[in-house]
Amino acid sequence: MNRLNFIHIICRIGIVVSLVLTAWIPCVAQEETATLSGIVVDTEGKPIPGFTINLSPVFQMSEADENGAFTFTNVPLGPVQIMIPPQQFGENEEPSFNLEPDDELVSIKIGDITLYQGRRPPFGGIRFAVKPGSHFKNIEVTVRPRMRIRARVVFKDQKPLINASISQVIRGGGGSLSGGATTDSEGYFIHYVDNNNEPARYTVAVKYKGLSAKSEPFDIETGGRYDDLVLTLDGESPPPATPTQSKQSKESLPNLLRKLTGGSTPADKPTPNQTAPRAPTRVEVEQGQVKPRVTRTTTTTTNRQTRRPPWEKDAWAVNPANGHAYKKIRCRNLNDAKDRAAAEGAYLVAINDEAEQKWLLGLFGNHLYWIGLSDGEKEGEWVWESGEPLIYTNWGAKHSFPRSTLSPERKNNAVMTFVNGQWHAVGPGDLLWRMTKMAILEKEDVSDHSPTEAE
């Protein structure tokens, strides 16, 4: 190769790289951020509605609309990466704790240039750079389901092994893999086949507390899934735990209180039919006939309630600052949370100042919670459903969470997030709308229960 040809090739490579960043992109004046927009399609080019992709390192997610279209705004300059986030929900719409995505990126087409994924999920993505003033339009993101094995573990009596840790050995595709897995609420676990993405024959073996099961060999085609595997353990399911007799039926309540508190109770005093025990004489002690009684001095605190952990399902906690009671609940959705609140004479929490916000986070922790804030009556006028005036807000930054495809008019409710308890407006179809499975209830009248006082 002569020098002229070498220079010509280098120039062509430079032109291609430049095209990725500038040539086909409508540019405007130099800006500090950019926008990316396009469509998510399958390997046949068909749009995929509702598919979620992630843009890192800014942790911005975009859910495709009914036409498969997505948009990222306020994209920082420099290298970025499009990825597929881990699953949020399983096939039964229950929250998923699978840390891997169920699909994988195939390619990203920007203009005439196609970029391919270099690493397998869950860390794989496609990287490119963003220059000032760039606006990427009509990006085509092609995705496909990952090859996988979905197996259900059952006992001999066909009862599923639910929410249990198992060890597994998967052989096939020219190798074997050993590791652990956790079954879900129906006894299923998933293994993704990413080693070669080629057709192969596999076997799966699992062990659980001395029991084991092994499958017959089965084939998986390229890009295929084997979701009907059933592994039957060589043992029966354990019998259900028999209810034990309550200690209160065996012991009197005062005796139980004495054991719990270490203090004296009325049970220490003899009943009318009992004679108080005689104290041993000095001679009996010296001759070893009896052992001296050791009297323990206990300090009791009056008017002090027994604390219950705040995560206990039926525990209400009283805020000493306002006398209101609060409780954290799990719920299926917003309507379920409201129904649960109404059934207990409560309402979704109304947060009136920073002190109350910090008190709630300190008691219940940072999670996603439904709160009682809404602008359903009049757009843009947020009010507490309890009727209290809105005198304090803790709205989060607009782009600190996945970008919503909904218009502001459709986002009539709010959630409190796990990022410093910041609030975000949500509507049906938003990712946070589907992810939020807890709520905080509040009630003013605490006379009908004995709540825990949290200080």
Side-chain angles (χ1 to χ4, degrees), residues 60-63 70-73 398-399 401-406 430:
Q60 186 181 153
M61 283 190 279
S62 180
E63 183 177 354
F70 70 90
T71 301
F72 291 108
T73 58
K398 185 177 296 185
H399 299 288
F401 273 93
R403 182 183 183 276
S404 173
T405 58
L406 297 180
D430 276 347

Side-chain angles (χ1 to χ4, degrees), residues 331-369:
C331 55
R332 294 188 300 273
N333 48 45
L334 174 59
N335 289 334
D336 183 39
K338 289 183 177 181
D339 291 343
R340 294 275 302 279
E344 301 204 41
Y347 48 85
L348 295 184
V349 65
I351 306 171
N352 294 312
D353 52 46
E354 185 179 3
E356 185 178 9
Q357 170 93 35
K358 291 182 177 179
W359 183 85
L360 290 169
L361 294 179
L363 182 66
F364 298 123
N366 285 292
H367 298 283
L368 285 171
Y369 299 110

